[in-house]
Amino acid sequence: MTEPATGERSTRDGAGASGSGGSGSDGSGPGESGPDGSGSGASGPDGSGSGASGSGGSDAGKKEREKIVGRAGVVGAGTLLSRVLGFGRDAVIAALFTRRETDAFWVALTIPNALRQLLAEGAVSSAVVPVLSERLTKGDDDAGRRFFARARGVSLAALVVVTVLGIVFARELTWLFASGYADAATDGAATAGGAAAGGAASDKLELTASLTRVMFPYILFMGTAALGMAALNAKRRFAVAAFAPALFSVGIVVAAFLLRGPLAERGVDPSMALAIGVLAGGVLQVVAQVPALRKIGYVSRPVFDLRDPHVREMLRRIVPMTFGLGVYYVDLVLSRRFLSELGEGAQSWFSWASRLCDLPQGIFVMALSSATLPSLATFAAKGETDELVATWAHGMRLAMFVAIPCSVALVVLGEPLVVLLFERGHFDAESSRQTARALAWQGGAIFTVAATRQLVPAFHALGDTRTPVVVSAIDLVAFIALALALRGPLGHVGISVAVAGSSAVQMLLLLYGLRKRVGALRGGELVASAARVVAASAIAGIASGALAHVLTGAVPGAFGRALPGVASATLFGVLFLLAAWGLGARELGEVAGPIRRRLRRR
């Protein structure tokens, strides 16, 4: 099952390689990229010294892999800012709005977000970046600009049509995603005193539809921003678009504080402030990219030309994603419908657990995927399969180095972290407990999602958009089976278990498919690396989990609630880094190298 790239359903992989953290615009610069700074031998994809990567590899391939970590660092820095502000945004939403309002908001935001896989990030990763990279490799900058102008023309036409349809059919779409709200109204009205309860549930359905109608133009802004990101990525510029998503959170937070009260005074539901903030955030992201796009000459007037062969190639690559979107939409509709039937708060608890999973995925995993895709596409265009595999394996090792400890940390320290980040205002102790239960499963699946995020771009770079779609269909079957079996005994947690289980299915099937496509995947290198990371994560998890248990309830007041999360997370990070260093994890140097070089230059 896939996910919208903004982090909604964050433990499900999207077809997009970029995510909301996107990528960015500023070039990685000539000297910011080597993976570890430990000498010339550090730059091979396996870090084995002398640049040796098992099979060697061309100097160009080694240099390109060296640059990936630096580029991912730029993207990751922007995404870190976006995610930190995102936590602030989510804390504001949790504290200022009731569970009725947040349940409605999360569903309403999910509906336009679902289309981003086809009209925004998904189209960018599967079609726009590969074709644009090919035009730049085989043609020149002018050829790339001509294609981009035509791609933008076709994209804008599709986005406008979809936006209008979404606004017109907002209520029908809301019922499709959250029919449980209407069912609750019917069930409530059938009980003693149920008229009020039924009316409240019916009002919740209408509120969700209204929020959907107001927020639907968000897809227009996000589709436009994603296309700009494609040009910036293809030109190896990774800063502005990486930092621009932070403006989404700024728009929501400002609107929540400034508009919530005035709207309530005028008889408008306060949650409408969130919808207005979403639109403001979308506009700000588009505007922030304009200077960088102008600098590289990619702001020419859009051209609608379906006769252009390269536009047709882009559309040909997108066609399988149309089916993929159908698979994804069924998946997303069912998950939201299931949650809408599981009582007040279920949507919100699930969504906040997903948001917590966004931080580790966005800071480095999605950033690494964004930074790797142009390199994979370039090697694929040149027919250099060995370099493509070496680069992919390098990215996979780095992704697992980040994702595995994050999975362990969120399973072991989930509740202390939820209390630290969210427990205030309308977000009470019960909300913390329920969110932590969902987080244990969604967080535990981060490593499978991280692996999938490295696998999907490899297929896209090879021009194979069919295999990820077929795998998504199988993944959907697994999700439905698990959700139907578990939602009864486990409630909303059963949906998170289904997410985790089907993510594992997706990862394994994609690994099998890529191995059939390109041959050996450097399995020995990957397994040895993962074993060291698992051992370091286990050491950190056991010690930090024990500390959290000892500190919980030991100190009264707000400080006492925050202490277990702060202390145990700090201990986990320190112990993991020390254990990774002691176990000889080369990835530690590869990740730290670009950071050290940046600090030296300053």
Side-chain angles (χ1 to χ4, degrees), residues 210-226:
S210 297
L211 292 173
T212 300
R213 193 172 292 110
V214 172
M215 282 195 285
F216 216 93
Y218 173 67
I219 184 62
L220 175 62
F221 304 128
M222 286 301 92
T224 302

Side-chain angles (χ1 to χ4, degrees), residues 240-262:
V240 170
F243 287 89
L247 297 173
F248 177 73
S249 297
V250 172
I252 292 178
V253 170
V254 171
F257 277 114
L258 294 184
L259 300 179
R260 177 171 167 268

Side-chain angles (χ1 to χ4, degrees), residues 150-321:
R150 286 161 174 75
R152 189 180 283 285
V154 172
S155 173
L156 282 174
L159 289 167
V160 169
V161 170
V162 169
T163 298
V164 171
L165 291 174
I167 293 171
V168 171
F169 295 103
R171 195 182 191 286
E172 289 78 8
L173 288 169
T174 300
W175 183 87
L176 187 67
F177 275 80
S179 63
Y181 293 168
D183 294 340
T186 302
D187 294 343
T191 63
S202 178
D203 176 61
K204 186 175 180 179
L205 183 67
E206 292 302 324
L207 172 61
T208 307
S210 297
L211 292 173
T212 300
R213 193 172 292 110
V214 172
M215 282 195 285
F216 216 93
Y218 173 67
I219 184 62
L220 175 62
F221 304 128
M222 286 301 92
T224 302
L227 202 62
M229 183 179 63
L232 296 168
N233 283 359
K235 295 292 289 182
R236 307 299 197 267
R237 295 175 177 266
F238 295 92
V240 170
F243 287 89
L247 297 173
F248 177 73
S249 297
V250 172
I252 292 178
V253 170
V254 171
F257 277 114
L258 294 184
L259 300 179
R260 177 171 167 268
L263 288 174
E265 291 173 2
R266 289 165 174 77
V268 179
D269 195 286
S271 62
M272 194 59 68
L274 296 174
I276 296 171
V278 166
L279 294 183
V283 172
L284 290 172
Q285 289 184 69
V286 174
V287 171
Q289 288 185 352
V290 173
L293 289 171
R294 181 178 289 114
K295 187 175 181 180
I296 62 173
Y298 277 69
V299 290
S300 59
R301 181 176 58 85
V303 177
F304 186 82
D305 183 6
L306 294 177
R307 296 171 299 177
D308 184 283
H310 306 295
V311 170
R312 291 192 176 193
E313 171 62 15
M314 176 189 74
L315 295 175
R316 184 193 67 77
R317 288 172 178 252
I318 290 176
V319 165
M321 285 200 60

